[in-house]
Amino acid sequence: MAEMRKPIPVEEAINRIWKRRITGEIEHVSIRDCDNRRLAEDIVAKHPVPPFPKSPYDGFAFRSADTIEASRNNPVTFKVVEHIGAGQVPEKILHKGEATRIMTGAKIPDGADCVAMFEICQTYEEDNQSFMSIKRTMDSGQNIIGEGSEVAEGEELIEKGTIINPGIKAVLATFGYSQVKVAKKPVIGVIATGTELLDVGEELQPGKIRNSNAYMIESQIIRAGADYKYFGKLEDKFDSSYDMINEILNEVDILITTGGVSVGDFDLMPAIYEKLGADVLFNKVAMRPGSVTTVATNGEKILYGLSGNPSACYVGFELFVRPIVQHYLHNSHAFQRRVKAILGDDFPKPNPFTRFVRCYLLYENSRLYAKLAGIDKSNVVTSLAHTSGLMVLPGGTRGFKAGDEADVLLLDDQQGQPEFKTI
Amino acid sequence: MAEMRKPIPVEEAINRIWKRRITGEIEHVSIRDCDNRRLAEDIVAKHPVPPFPKSPYDGFAFRSADTIEASRNNPVTFKVVEHIGAGQVPEKILHKGEATRIMTGAKIPDGADCVAMFEICQTYEEDNQSFMSIKRTMDSGQNIIGEGSEVAEGEELIEKGTIINPGIKAVLATFGYSQVKVAKKPVIGVIATGTELLDVGEELQPGKIRNSNAYMIESQIIRAGADYKYFGKLEDKFDSSYDMINEILNEVDILITTGGVSVGDFDLMPAIYEKLGADVLFNKVAMRPGSVTTVATNGEKILYGLSGNPSACYVGFELFVRPIVQHYLHNSHAFQRRVKAILGDDFPKPNPFTRFVRCYLLYENSRLYAKLAGIDKSNVVTSLAHTSGLMVLPGGTRGFKAGDEADVLLLDDQQGQPEFKTI
């Protein structure tokens, strides 16, 4: 039964999948529900910001020309003709010697061209009329935030595909997007294979382990911005498994199975791919962990057969699934941000194939360091808990030493980059 | 009306709030719903990992002692007495000259002390009996993943307060946590003040702007891991506003108002704090933006009066609210991770007070660079869209130049640090 497989380089594997990428549909959500979704349209300023000239302070607005003669010994006096708060609209046009008491954010009255803060003004009342005097000259435009001084109408502000964060939500509110056009999330089906798997609520039994891969993958799916559907375990019987997968493909955009892709006697997935008529893009990759990864396509749908080893499964998702999800979400920076970091630990093992090593990131004096997240064997679940990056150690390299530089893929970063390679 | 306020240093402001921190309650959620929640208990290994010695490969298990005489010219033959997949439990104890065909992940049969991969074994059948032969010697323990070799029972794996990511979810599943003890989210009330505010769905009107702060703060609340309740706008009338806030305090753990805290004629919040009998911790901070921030406590509840200026409001939340939320969530690293970065742009303005400058982060040759996110005026909404960090420029410093080093608070980072200061 042991089938011969030809491993292909990681970059080639990514390219073959990348050619099958599709962009997902668009949906509208309330601005209240748009957090962490990805924009499906460029955001352009619908009006100037601010939309009118406004005051940055609480104070008085008037004509700067009236202060030409003002000095410490020669205060100039203004009649206060109106009193407006932010949101109240000035109604009076100011003439020579007239001032408007104005609050932060309020519109500058017509006729006025400067604002003086309360702190530099003297106020008094006479015969129920307010007056204000000032002992210094003011310039035209002083303390006025001009219309459009932040953003001109039509300015391109945020690119399609960007993830919505608090600042972007503020921009959307500013321009009146009560409904936001976002990328629809792909639905990713998850199936676990393996008779050795117990469900999370079951007691341990001899020879069996609990299913951790399905939960891990679901969490990776959520982190990538997609939705999951868990279909339970696949039995180790061909016919029922084939029927199950055939039906599931109607309900999902992408299907992930974990386990069942090695060359063991009980692995059914290759036969199922064949009967589906799926186009197998590759079934072995020259990488560690995760060499026994199979990816196939069935129409527009991509079927991932990830390894049953937790770490191989984890790496397989981040390398091969996440960029496809990002493209589906209209994100033009679909790949993980790949940066240089200094190794904080020795990694003495040679790398016959490209190796992805789980790590976490430290900063010291503006330098980025990558430390090993734990024992790096493909079957170690626990080291994944502290993982926030994957070091990329190229195939053909010998061991690395602390202090060496290496590439790291950032897993928690939402900015990404347009290609897999170092940029 | 213009009240005199004494600004206090940022660190002092943070300290005064920090003294009023409380830890929130605990709740149980299904493992399916635990993503991005914070653990409310330390996670300890409930059993060794793996829980039994297992095979890393598909192959044959047998007694290594039987191969002592094996060589290229002297194959040693084994009778294959059992055939087990992962999850199937070996029933036969192996004796001299016996082997078990075994799949990846399967339990090693008693009596066996090594596994040989299929690739180095010859198999044949004779009289319906399977045989296997091998031409090399094997060592005791070779290709066996020992019981507990990854994790010993009782080992402390993940600290309370850690945010649940895919790797942690895998660990929780491995140890059978179908229900997960997490920190209950605090409920944060949000009120906007200001008659100048239109709702997001309204058409622009002269002198008015849309309410962007409430949406921004809600998004910051979500990013911090808390829940929000939006109570709409506060009217500029004292009695109804007081009643409203008094009632809301029964429904929330923390209350944030935006606007209404400067010294303008229409600002009600100071009077409302007074009538509530709230303990005002401070009402001015020596910082830019956000100097007119007021924080008060009413029993265990903290009331934040953040500036109505979008950027001041944003910074105020991250500095003063987020750490309190993190502590509530049992996170011992409640403050933003503060790292050194190299400035990618000039920032020529002098800094009479500590200044927090919106920036985003780049990496180049393992060095971290901080670039300005946009025009840095406190009223600029749009630059917040690209912000992922806040540069901390200490008060009393002159302008900074590109290439200088400065501290940056990372806003998207979930790791954090235990104190506000540089560590």
Side-chain angles (χ1 to χ4, degrees):
Chain A
M1 283 285 270
E3 165 201 1
M4 283 308 289
R5 296 181 178 190
K6 192 176 146 34
I8 62 170
V10 179
E11 291 76 9
E12 170 66 15
I14 290 172
N15 277 339
R16 288 189 191 177
I17 303 169
W18 189 238
K19 283 185 187 146
R20 307 302 184 101
R21 71 193 181 278
I22 58 170
T23 306
E25 288 174 18
I26 284 168
E27 63 183 356
H28 287 83
V29 296
S30 159
I31 187 171
R32 297 233 172 251
D33 302 320
C34 74
D35 288 276
N36 297 316
R37 299 296 297 267
R38 289 199 178 260
L39 286 169
E41 62 176 333
D42 295 330
I43 301 299
V44 172
K46 290 186 182 175
H47 57 71
V49 179
F52 47 82
K54 68 179 185 181
S55 175
Y57 303 119
D58 298 339
F60 291 95
F62 48 85
R63 301 170 4 141
S64 60
D66 299 351
T67 63
I68 285 180
E69 309 284 322
S71 70
R72 178 175 284 268
N73 299 316
N74 183 36
V76 174
T77 298
F78 292 86
K79 188 173 161 187
V80 179
V81 297
E82 201 177 8
H83 181 177
I84 52 168
Q88 291 179 337
V89 183
E91 286 170 3
K92 300 218 169 126
I93 299 170
L94 293 191
H95 303 98
K96 184 168 163 54
E98 292 177 343
T100 295
R101 191 178 166 101
I102 192 172
M103 297 296 112
T104 304
K107 184 167 187 278
I108 304 296
D110 287 344
D113 67 350
C114 72
V115 171
M117 297 170 78
F118 281 159
E119 286 80 344
I120 64 164
C121 303
Q122 298 286 322
T123 54
Y124 61 95
E125 299 244 330
E126 222 173 79
D127 296 337
N128 280 330
Q129 173 61 50
S130 292
F131 292 90
M132 179 279 286
S133 71
I134 181 169
K135 293 180 172 175
R136 61 176 83 169
T137 58
M138 296 288 292
D139 297 325
S140 180
Q142 197 171 342
N143 295 335
I144 288 187
I145 303 172
E147 175 182 323
S149 59
E150 289 183 22
V151 179
E153 186 171 342
E155 198 176 311
E156 289 184 20
L157 298 174
I158 308 161
E159 198 194 345
K160 186 168 74 172
T162 306
I163 196 164
I164 297 172
N165 66 20
I168 291 174
K169 201 166 174 181
V171 170
L172 293 170
T174 297
F175 293 110
Y177 288 86
S178 53
Q179 294 284 310
V180 183
K181 223 187 244 188
V182 298
K184 209 169 167 182
K185 297 181 176 189
V187 176
I188 304 184
V190 177
I191 299 176
T193 73
T195 42
E196 78 275 26
L197 298 181
L198 301 167
D199 197 44
V200 65
E202 293 185 83
E203 282 301 309
L204 271 195
Q205 294 166 27
K208 303 210 170 193
I209 56 169
R210 293 197 190 87
N211 176 8
S212 59
N213 281 354
Y215 293 94
M216 182 183 73
I217 285 280
E218 287 167 17
S219 189
Q220 289 176 287
I221 289 170
I222 292 170
R223 181 165 70 181
D227 277 337
Y228 72 83
K229 262 193 186 178
Y230 180 56
F231 293 97
K233 283 192 299 181
L234 201 65
E235 294 208 2
D236 279 351
K237 279 170 192 143
F238 181 79
D239 286 338
S240 54
S241 297
Y242 171 77
D243 290 345
M244 180 177 164
I245 287 185
N246 209 7
E247 231 166 83
I248 287 171
L249 281 173
N250 295 321
E251 298 180 43
V252 301
D253 300 298
I254 290 171
L255 179 61
I256 297 175
T257 55
T258 71
V261 291
S262 71
V263 294
D265 295 10
F266 295 97
D267 293 332
L268 297 173
M269 290 309 298
I272 290 175
Y273 290 139
E274 196 178 333
K275 185 163 177 194
L276 282 171
D279 183 5
V280 175
L281 305 183
F282 57 84
N283 58 19
K284 192 154 192 173
V285 188
M287 62 184 263
R288 294 283 181 276
S291 63
V292 288
T293 300
T294 298
V295 179
T297 55
N298 193 34
E300 282 202 327
K301 297 181 180 179
I302 304 183
L303 288 71
Y304 293 91
L306 301 181
S307 165
N309 265 327
S311 295
C313 186
Y314 185 94
V315 170
F317 181 92
E318 296 298 331
L319 286 184
F320 303 127
V321 187
R322 193 179 193 280
I324 291 295
V325 171
Q326 294 308 304
H327 185 81
Y328 192 98
L329 295 172
H330 300 232
N331 180 6
S332 62
H333 288 61
F335 294 89
Q336 280 95 354
R337 186 136 64 142
R338 183 165 175 163
V339 303
K340 297 262 179 225
I342 298 167
L343 301 195
D345 298 294
D346 289 342
F347 190 84
K349 280 192 276 191
N351 306 291
F353 303 104
T354 305
R355 196 191 292 274
F356 296 91
V357 184
R358 300 180 288 286
C359 66
Y360 62 95
L361 298 154
L362 292 178
Y363 299 89
E364 215 178 288
N365 293 324
S366 79
R367 284 223 174 258
L368 186 63
Y369 288 83
K371 301 267 295 175
L372 298 181
I375 317 163
D376 202 78
K377 290 186 185 161
S378 63
N379 44 10
V380 175
V381 174
T382 47
S383 68
L384 291 172
H386 305 290
T387 295
S388 60
L390 292 174
M391 289 181 207
V392 187
L393 307 183
T397 52
R398 303 179 63 87
F400 283 74
K401 279 199 171 358
D404 289 350
E405 223 177 40
D407 283 11
V408 174
L409 302 175
L410 302 182
L411 301 180
D412 289 328
D413 173 75
Q414 293 293 6
Q415 186 177 313
Q417 62 181 49
E419 293 181 74
F420 174 68
K421 65 181 186 190
T422 318
I423 57 171
Chain B
M1 279 287 270
E3 167 201 358
M4 283 307 291
R5 297 182 177 189
K6 194 178 144 33
I8 62 170
V10 179
E11 291 74 10
E12 170 66 16
I14 289 172
N15 277 340
R16 287 188 192 176
I17 305 170
W18 188 239
K19 282 184 187 147
R20 307 303 184 99
R21 70 194 181 277
I22 59 170
T23 306
E25 288 175 18
I26 283 168
E27 63 182 357
H28 287 83
V29 296
S30 160
I31 187 171
R32 296 232 173 251
D33 301 321
C34 75
D35 288 278
N36 298 315
R37 299 296 298 266
R38 290 199 178 261
L39 286 169
E41 62 175 332
D42 295 331
I43 300 300
V44 172
K46 291 185 180 175
H47 57 71
V49 178
F52 47 81
K54 68 179 185 182
S55 175
Y57 302 119
D58 297 339
F60 291 95
F62 49 84
R63 301 170 4 141
S64 61
D66 298 351
T67 62
I68 285 180
E69 308 285 323
S71 70
R72 177 174 284 268
N73 299 317
N74 183 35
V76 175
T77 297
F78 292 85
K79 186 173 163 187
V80 179
V81 297
E82 201 177 8
H83 182 178
I84 51 169
Q88 290 181 336
V89 183
E91 286 171 1
K92 300 219 167 127
I93 299 171
L94 294 191
H95 303 99
K96 183 168 162 51
E98 293 178 342
T100 295
R101 190 178 167 101
I102 192 172
M103 297 296 113
T104 305
K107 185 168 187 278
I108 305 295
D110 287 343
D113 67 350
C114 72
V115 171
M117 295 170 79
F118 280 159
E119 286 80 345
I120 65 164
C121 302
Q122 297 287 324
T123 54
Y124 61 95
E125 298 246 331
E126 221 174 82
D127 296 338
N128 279 329
Q129 172 62 50
S130 292
F131 291 91
M132 178 279 286
S133 72
I134 181 171
K135 291 181 174 175
R136 61 176 84 170
T137 59
M138 296 288 291
D139 297 326
S140 180
Q142 195 170 345
N143 294 336
I144 288 187
I145 303 171
E147 175 181 324
S149 58
E150 287 183 23
V151 180
E153 186 170 343
E155 197 175 314
E156 288 183 21
L157 298 174
I158 308 160
E159 198 194 346
K160 186 168 72 172
T162 306
I163 195 164
I164 297 172
N165 66 20
I168 290 174
K169 201 165 173 182
V171 171
L172 293 169
T174 297
F175 293 110
Y177 289 85
S178 52
Q179 294 285 309
V180 183
K181 225 187 242 186
V182 298
K184 208 169 167 181
K185 297 181 178 190
V187 176
I188 305 184
V190 176
I191 299 175
T193 74
T195 42
E196 78 276 25
L197 297 181
L198 300 168
D199 197 43
V200 66
E202 293 184 83
E203 283 301 309
L204 271 196
Q205 295 164 27
K208 303 210 169 191
I209 56 167
R210 293 198 190 86
N211 177 8
S212 59
N213 281 353
Y215 293 94
M216 181 182 74
I217 285 281
E218 287 167 16
S219 190
Q220 289 177 288
I221 289 170
I222 291 169
R223 181 166 71 181
D227 278 336
Y228 72 84
K229 263 193 186 177
Y230 180 56
F231 293 97
K233 282 192 298 179
L234 202 65
E235 295 207 2
D236 278 352
K237 281 173 190 139
F238 180 81
D239 286 337
S240 56
S241 296
Y242 171 79
D243 290 345
M244 180 177 163
I245 287 185
N246 208 8
E247 230 167 81
I248 287 171
L249 281 173
N250 296 320
E251 298 180 42
V252 300
D253 300 298
I254 289 170
L255 179 62
I256 296 175
T257 54
T258 68
V261 292
S262 70
V263 293
D265 297 10
F266 296 97
D267 294 331
L268 297 171
M269 291 307 298
I272 291 175
Y273 290 139
E274 197 179 332
K275 185 165 177 192
L276 281 170
D279 184 5
V280 175
L281 305 182
F282 56 85
N283 59 19
K284 192 154 191 173
V285 188
M287 62 186 262
R288 294 283 182 276
S291 62
V292 288
T293 301
T294 298
V295 179
T297 55
N298 193 33
E300 281 200 331
K301 297 181 182 179
I302 305 183
L303 288 71
Y304 292 90
L306 301 182
S307 165
N309 265 326
S311 296
C313 186
Y314 185 95
V315 169
F317 181 92
E318 296 300 329
L319 286 182
F320 302 128
V321 186
R322 193 179 193 279
I324 291 296
V325 171
Q326 293 308 304
H327 184 81
Y328 192 99
L329 294 172
H330 300 232
N331 180 5
S332 62
H333 288 60
F335 294 88
Q336 280 95 353
R337 186 136 62 142
R338 183 167 174 163
V339 303
K340 297 263 179 226
I342 298 166
L343 301 195
D345 298 293
D346 290 342
F347 190 84
K349 281 192 277 189
N351 306 291
F353 304 104
T354 305
R355 195 191 293 274
F356 296 91
V357 184
R358 300 179 290 284
C359 66
Y360 61 94
L361 298 154
L362 291 179
Y363 299 88
E364 213 178 290
N365 292 324
S366 80
R367 284 223 175 256
L368 186 63
Y369 288 83
K371 301 266 295 174
L372 298 181
I375 318 163
D376 201 78
K377 291 184 184 162
S378 62
N379 44 9
V380 174
V381 174
T382 48
S383 69
L384 291 171
H386 304 289
T387 295
S388 60
L390 291 175
M391 290 182 206
V392 187
L393 306 183
T397 52
R398 303 179 64 87
F400 283 74
K401 279 199 170 356
D404 288 351
E405 225 178 38
D407 283 11
V408 174
L409 302 175
L410 303 182
L411 301 180
D412 289 328
D413 172 75
Q414 293 293 6
Q415 186 178 314
Q417 62 180 49
E419 294 179 72
F420 174 66
K421 64 182 186 191
T422 318
I423 56 171

